[in-house]
Amino acid sequence: MTSQLLATPQPVPAGAIVQWGWLTITVANLLVVLGMIVVFALALVLPFPSAHEDDEP
């Protein structure tokens, strides 16, 4: 049991990597970043629900 606790853990493979110039990123992280950019752009473009559309009594 002590040998298992003291054993050096093996590195976990990162998966597919994209290299573009100085930028190196995994595909999973790239998809997350692109998703966050899409959500941010939608938040800027989509209008908020408005309460001033013919709601006067």
Side-chain angles (χ1 to χ4, degrees):
M1 171 134 174
T2 305
S3 63
Q4 290 177 349
L5 294 175
L6 298 177
T8 305
Q10 298 297 320
V12 177
I17 295 175
V18 175
Q19 293 180 344
W20 186 34
W22 55 269
L23 180 69
T24 302
I25 189 168
T26 62
V27 173
N29 285 340
L30 181 62
L31 292 175
V32 169
V33 169
L34 291 176
M36 291 189 315
I37 291 171
V38 167
V39 169
F40 180 75
L42 288 174
L44 291 176
V45 174
L46 295 176
F48 286 104
S50 59
H52 63 278
E53 295 181 14
D54 300 307
D55 289 341
E56 295 181 24

